[in-house]
Structures are given as structure tokens and as C-alpha cells.
């Protein structure tokens, strides 16, 4: 029996990225069927038509992956889909809109690796995520909290930061500390105030967020990670290719977007495989993070 | 050489149901290529592009399945597609819009099974199909007539019933008797007048059409079948899961939507397989019904 | 690892023709993923998402095929796609919008075959392509020039012919001679003036362009080829099925659309296979023509 992955996206096109990663996963006899331009209201009908053709005992071979860029809509689609299933017609489902879950996972996996390389643990460490109130930043925050770190996020507007923090508290039961940062001065002040061991930047491509002249003032910083793949990078002198190497002469380790991306891609394949391991799984951020270590 | 199934639908989305059933059919090396939002006018071009890439001798490996909900449009698409083919560029084609052919088949297969369970035959039996002028009801009527039964259909409007009957006569060469039924009283009268052995309901989900207090007045009724999968069911006390079991203490057998659905799903897979057995088949309702017994 | 062919088309539907030819190519583990309604502006995002999921060393297993009818848009999409790739993230790509490259190849392959059948070579031959300023005609011209022939094209308007010739000069570095032809008289005059050995017609279906009473006046004509598959054919008395056979009693060989089509289909499969032989190939008309002889 073929494994059928129903791929739902709110975008005009199914991401070739997601489809290729699915085909590259370790799932034999896989067929990916893309549905695009999907509205939340389309979901119940599509799910009905997905759960009913097969005998419930065979539903381990059917799964849903929600892609596309719109994280809010993706979450609504996920909720709607889960709501539509009932015993024994339950299939496994995951959402990774905007690659947010897998990118957050990739980032925290690399940070953890860096910290452990130094013979230490994330437990009790302090991490600050600059431009961190987007989907990726918040998920990084949630995972770091889960690992025992104390986490701050910065945003250009304090209101946005507060709202984001509320959301993370509600969804992931993780407490974050907000900072409003929209200038180098504010960056400096946030670092002075929070005294982080870990600096993460999750800003847009081609924008440097934390300059070297700023970060090199802080002995407390041990690891810096950046998810921006296009120079100028988010942390000055952390290259997209840096793989937890020392930023020369600083004692600090840096990890760049391409190395995080390698883990992200690997995890994405793993969760596609995971979808077909057991029926009825609702695979969330923490499951994805755990899958990275399997 | 791969088997290629061109799936045409007038809907926004290709039904995951149809695609999964196709992949679950016993056809190896199958690729299903969905085309959606298909207008009747799109059909000639799509068929041209489907019949020409392969050598005529290889066209047994190419077929068309017309899905979606709009039965009228589906039939027009089917006609247009058949019209576009010519010797030796003929491929096999089937339409099962709204699942009407396979659901009708599933229903009649189960009714026949029930009747034969009692050591009898459909020949000469009388069947009435309530809310029976939709695509599924009419096809059930046609198949029952083919099996030698005398068949009546009811509709909320006699005009609609008459028109439907004309259509069935023209397309399937089967004569049906019309009743206008839009109240319990009319239901009772129709049953009194027609004295059926078989009662079928093909109404919308969640609407009870024939109440127990009505049907239990008729000793002539032997079998009752309902295609509505969501309670309240079409025939009171015939559950969606009933599999030609006696409705307690009545001597009557009942079959519900889920059991009919099992046959429907099975038949749908069989006709996908049938498409690739021989080139140039135009697979209609009666072929689908016959396939159920293969 | 699966071979993934990203199929981009500006049309409403992915051509079943192209998809089936791809699946019939000698590429194992192939998945074709169609994207339709693609605008030039959609291309960079789609290419990004296509080149990044796999490790550069694996990109031999990912390729792009541009189909659809709009040759101008197809070329723009091709340019945009190539522009978006960079070392080492380069995948192979080909455009065959309107089947123009493969049909031109099929035509010239058959003409060459006919000429060589007579123990001669295309080198130094003169060929005239009637209604030859469309994508297929111009590509035939370019290939014939590459084979050493002197080539003329006719158009209903001299301006159109001149513009087309400029384009061919720029893109394929081939010089063509223009004729304005919109009547039998002009056809006769063009033939008298150019004294061709080869006559090709690339006009619309069901229109005879060169009548027998005209072409039989010219002893210089050795081969006549026509790409119109629906009678009346482009060259009177050259049937769509003619396979470089003598047009009875004339000493001239004729080749029709279906025989050209056979080569076209074969070449199309070959170029799909070629896409997956090496990464980063930009497969153009001449590569396609060469592939025909491999």
C-alpha cells in the first residue's frame, strides 16, 4: 500500500522545497499529493476525503503536511484538520509553515551542540533572540526554555513583543522576557541588561542586526547563531557557513544559516518519516525537536 | 511503461478520496495526474494531449477518470472526451462523478446479497427509492431494473420525478414509476400503493425519510437500504453499520451507508484496474456493476 | 534518491503530452511535479525552492522542464531560471514550449535522413520554409543552417519575416533569407527565385500551402516536409504518414507530420533523460538536435 502524503498549502504553489524533502525522506512508496490555494474552510472537506477511502487500520499510510508561508493560517488549518478527524479515522498531521518548526529546531540543535562542545549544558543559560517575535524566533525561544534556558526576545515594538510572549506562553507554556530594540543603542542596552550567553538573530535577509563592535563588548556571550542566509548576515562576522567554529580570537562560537539549514533539512525529512510511523499523531514543535535527536 | 491515469474534475480540488482509491487499486506503476477546474471545453485539448504521446499499441497504459461532484458536467465531459478519440488513438475512460456509479453499485450489490441470503432473487421484486431522483437514486433504479425488479422513485416534486424518469429511460433503457412524496402521509400512501419488497433511501445526510412507525406497517418489505452516513439515518433504525442484519424482531434486513461504502470503495478500485485491462473501453454504470462481481 | 522534474508552464494545465513523455523517458524513479499558470516573476522563488533542499552534489537528480505554448514567455522563464542559479546550486534545465525545439529537431532529422538516403549531404543544399517565421519554422531554419544549408523563410508579411530573421541571427547565429508570400503566385516566384532543394511547410493545421501544380514545376526540389497533421496538408500530396517515400512518379521524397512526430516524441524522451545525466546543463536547441543522434 502506498504512503500518501496530502500536502496542504495556502499559497499559489506547493513549495518544491517541501515536496523534494518529502520525496527524499526515508519513506518508501511515497506519493505526495499537493493541494494549493487552500482556505481554512476547504480543510474539512479535504480531510473527510482523505480519511475515508482507506480502512482505519490502514490509515498509518495516509498523512497530512501543512506548508506555505502563512503561519497563522497554517495553524488554523491544522486545528481545523484535527477537529475533523475522529476515532478510528485519525491520520497523522504536521504543520511546518514557513519552515518555522524545522528552522527553529535546526537553530536550537546547533546552539545545544555548541554549548555541549564546551562541556556545558543549556540548563540555566541565558539566550536573547533579536528580531525574535516572528514564527521562527518565538519557536526558538520556546525550545530554549524547554531546554532550561532563560530567554529574552527583542522586537521593534514592545507591543508586538508582549503579544508574541503571550502567545508563546499560551501555546508552548514558555515564559520569555521582552525587549524593545530598534537601534544599536537599544541592542547594547538589552545585552547589558540581560547579560546573555547566547545570541540569536532571526531577522530578515541582508540585514545586520548585531554589530561586532557591540557583541565583542560582552564576555558573557559564548554562542551566536543567525538564520539569515544572505549577506550582510544578522550577526557581524558570523558567516552563513560557520559551523560552531570560534569567531577568530574571541572565544565565541558562531553558527550560520547554512549549517542550521542542514539540520533543518534533515529534520524535515525525519518528520515526514515520522508521520508514517503511527496513525493519529499531531506532530508539534516539541516532537519535531525530539525527532532531531533520533 | 508507467500506467498513467489522467484524472479530470470540474471542482477546485481533485478528490483525495478518488486519488487514494486509485493508488490503492491493484495497478502497478501507476501515476495519477489530476486536472482540476476542468470545463467541458478544456476536454478536447486535454484528451488530444493524452492520446498522442504514446504509440497506439501502448495506449492500454493510459486512461481517464472523471471525478468531481457535478454529474451533469461530468457526463458532458465524458461525451466530449469519447468524441475526441478515434481509432487507433482510443483510451479507456470512466466517469464516477459524485461517486454515483460506484455508490449505486454498492447499494444494489448489498440489496441483492440480502435478497439472496433469503434464498430469493431480485427478479420480480418491487423496490421503491425515496428521494430517488438524484444521480445515485436513479442509477440504483436502473440497476435494479436490470436485475429484473420493478422500481419506483419518489421526489418532492412530480415534475422532477417525471424528468428523471425520462432520463433513465433514455440513458439506461429502464422504466421507473414516479411518486411525489413530501410528507409522512405521502410516504405511507406511496408504500400502500406500490407494496414494495425493497425500500431504499438516497436522501441528504442527517434526514430521516422513512420512520419506523411507517415502514413497520408493511409486511411486504423485506430489505431496507440507506446511503446516508450521518445520523439521523434515512430509514429509522437502519444503522450506518448494519450489514444486512435483521432489524430486531421485524424479519426485515437492513443495510447502512458504511456497508454500502465498503462495496463502493472496493468497486472503485476495481474499475481503476479495469481501465488498464484493455484500451478504448468506455466504462459505464453496468460495466461497473458487473465489475463488482468479478 | 528520486529524480524530480519540476515542470513549469504558463498555461492553465500542464500538458499531459509532456508529462507522459517524461514518464516514458528512460529515467528511473522519476517524479514529475507540475506547476501551472507560472508567471516569469514566479520563477525565481520556485527555482530557489528547487535548488536548496538537496545537497549540491545531489542536484543531478533535480531538473526543470519548461512547457506550455507561449514560446516568448517560455524563453523569459528559462532566462530567469538560469539567472537564479549559482554555483554549486545549479540544476539542468530545458525549454520546449509549444514543442518547438523537439518538432524542429524531428523535422530536420527526417530531412537529413531523406537527403542522406539519396547519398547526399545537407551541406550546400538550399531549403525554403513556408510560413516559417513561427517558433518551429525558425528553429528548423537554424538547424538547417547549422547543417550547412542555405535557408529561406517565407511569411505573410515581410516585416514579420525581417524581425524573425534578426532574432534567429541573434539567438542562433544563423542567417536566413526572407520572402513575403501570401499567394500562390508569390509561392511560385519565391521558388523560382530561390531554387530550393528542400521545401518545408510549418503553417497551421488544415491549410495547404504549396500546391502540387506549383511544386511539380521544380526539378531542383528533392525533399518536402510538412508539420501539419490535419488534412488538407501543407504540401499537397505529402501525407502525414509519408516516411521519406517517393511522391509517386516525381522522384521527390516526402515526409509528413506523423513521421516527424515520431522523432519528436523520441527526442523529447531523450532530453528528459539527458537532464538527469549531469547537473547544471542549460539544454538548448542544438543540444536537443544532437541528442536525436545519440
Amino acid at each position: 500500500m502506498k504512503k500518501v502524503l496530502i500536502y496542504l498549502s495556502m499559497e499559489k504553489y506547493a513549495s518544491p522545497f517541501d515536496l523534494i524533502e518529502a520525496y527524499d525522506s526515508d519513506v518508501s512508496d511515497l506519493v505526495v499529493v499537493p493541494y494549493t490555494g487552500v482556505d481554512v474552510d476547504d480543510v474539512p472537506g479535504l480531510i473527510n476525503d482523505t480519511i475515508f477511502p482507506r480502512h482505519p487500520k490502514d490509515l498509518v499510510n495516509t498523512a497530512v503536511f501543512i506548508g506555505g508561508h502563512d503561519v497563522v493560517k497554517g495553524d488554523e488549518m491544522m486545528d481545523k484538520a484535527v477537529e475533523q478527524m475522529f476515532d478510528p479515522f485519525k491520520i497523522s498531521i504536521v504543520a511546518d509553515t514557513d519552515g518555522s518548526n524545522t528552522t527553529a529546531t535546526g537553530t536550537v540543535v546547533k546552539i545545544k551542540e555548541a554549548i555541549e562542545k564546551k562541556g556545558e549544558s543549556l540548563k540555566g543559560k541565558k539566550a536573547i533572540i533579536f528580531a525574535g517575535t516572528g514564527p521562527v524566533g518565538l519557536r526558538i525561544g520556546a525550545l530554549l526554555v524547554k531546554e532550561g534556558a532563560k530567554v529574552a526576545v527583542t522586537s521593534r515594538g514592545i507591543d508586538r513583543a508582549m503579544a508574541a510572549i503571550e502567545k508563546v506562553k499560551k501555546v508552548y507554556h514558555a515564559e520569555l522576557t521582552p525587549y524593545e530594540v530598534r537601534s544599536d543603542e537599544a541592542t547594547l542596552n538589552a545585552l547589558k541588561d540581560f547579560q546573555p550567553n547566547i545570541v540569536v538573530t532571526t531577522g530578515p535577509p541582508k540585514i545586520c542586526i548585531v554589530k561586532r563592535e557591540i557583541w565583542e563588548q560582552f564576555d558573557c556571550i559564548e554562542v551566536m547563531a543567525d538564520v539569515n542566509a544572505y549577506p550582510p548576515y544578522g550577526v557581524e562576522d558570523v558567516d552563513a557557513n560557520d559551523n560552531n567554529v570560534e569567531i577568530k580570537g574571541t572565544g565565541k562560537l558562531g553558527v550560520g544559516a547554512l549549517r542550521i539549514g542542514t539540520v533543518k533539512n534533515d529534520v524535515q525529512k525525519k518528520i515526514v518519516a515520522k508521520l508514517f510511523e503511527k496513525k493519529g499523531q499531531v506532530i508539534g514543535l516539541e516532537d519535531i525537536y525530539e525527532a532531531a535527536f533520533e
Side-chain angles (χ1 to χ4, degrees), chain A:
Chain A
M1 177 171 277
K2 286 210 182 297
K3 311 280 193 304
V4 176
L5 182 62
I6 300 294
Y7 177 88
L8 306 180
S9 168
M10 71 297 293
E11 309 293 340
K12 180 179 175 190
Y13 294 120
S15 159
F17 190 100
D18 288 345
L19 304 189
I20 292 172
E21 291 293 5
Y23 279 117
D24 284 355
S25 72
D26 200 18
V27 176
S28 56
D29 280 323
L30 179 69
V31 178
V32 186
V33 185
Y35 289 86
T36 54
V38 177
D39 271 326
V40 176
D41 290 345
D42 295 322
V43 171
L46 287 169
I47 293 296
N48 262 357
D49 262 11
T50 299
I51 60 182
F52 286 136
R54 286 175 161 173
H55 192 282
K57 77 173 166 45
D58 292 325
L59 286 180
V60 65
N61 299 310
T62 308
V64 173
F65 188 112
I66 298 174
H69 290 290
D70 188 331
V71 177
V72 173
K73 211 176 204 179
D75 286 350
E76 284 172 41
M77 287 163 64
M78 177 90 162
D79 291 347
K80 204 81 171 183
V82 171
E83 192 185 309
Q84 192 66 20
M85 302 178 199
F86 57 94
D87 262 327
F89 292 96
K90 286 190 168 174
I91 58 180
S92 288
I93 183 166
V94 73
D96 190 36
T97 31
D98 220 24
S100 52
N101 286 321
T102 48
T103 304
T105 291
T107 308
V108 179
V109 164
K110 291 308 286 184
I111 291 170
K112 186 178 158 84
E113 186 185 301
I115 292 288
E116 292 178 351
K117 205 171 165 181
K118 309 180 85 174
E120 304 179 33
S121 143
L122 276 169
K123 203 159 188 70
K125 292 288 179 191
K126 289 199 284 182
I128 187 164
I129 307 162
F130 285 92
T133 53
V136 173
L138 293 176
R139 282 164 169 81
I140 291 172
L143 290 176
L144 286 169
V145 167
K146 181 189 138 78
E147 286 283 7
K150 188 167 176 341
V151 179
V153 291
T154 83
S155 174
R156 295 179 63 79
I158 192 70
D159 290 353
R160 200 177 162 207
M162 295 303 290
I165 278 172
E166 275 313 299
K167 201 182 152 190
V168 170
K169 200 172 183 175
K170 200 177 137 208
V171 178
Y172 301 113
H173 315 291
E175 302 264 3
L176 308 180
T177 306
Y179 285 94
E180 184 174 79
V181 170
R182 46 159 66 132
S183 66
D184 286 348
E185 198 193 341
T187 300
L188 189 67
N189 289 339
L191 291 171
K192 274 187 187 157
D193 185 68
F194 194 65
Q195 293 288 323
N197 312 104
I198 297 154
V199 167
V200 185
T201 50
T202 56
K206 305 187 186 176
I207 291 179
C208 176
I209 294 176
V210 188
K211 294 185 179 147
R212 180 165 186 141
E213 63 183 45
I214 293 176
W215 62 252
E216 68 184 358
Q217 300 176 34
F218 294 88
D219 285 345
C220 55
I221 298 176
E222 300 170 69
V223 177
M224 299 194 289
D226 173 39
V227 302
N228 157 15
Y230 296 88
Y233 300 117
V235 179
E236 193 176 355
D237 285 346
V238 174
D239 189 86
N241 279 294
D242 282 354
N243 191 14
N244 283 338
V245 290
E246 193 194 331
I247 303 156
K248 223 182 158 192
T250 67
K252 302 179 197 316
L253 299 183
V255 60
L258 294 183
R259 299 307 148 187
I260 289 169
T262 301
V263 179
K264 179 234 182 304
N265 294 2
D266 186 43
V267 168
Q268 185 162 348
K269 285 189 267 285
K270 279 183 178 171
I271 60 170
V272 171
K274 195 178 171 67
L275 283 167
F276 294 99
E277 279 170 9
K278 215 172 63 177
K279 64 176 268 196
Q281 303 167 82
V282 179
I283 298 179
L285 174 61
E286 297 190 7
D287 308 295
I288 294 171
Y289 183 65
E290 272 165 30
F293 298 97
E294 278 161 19

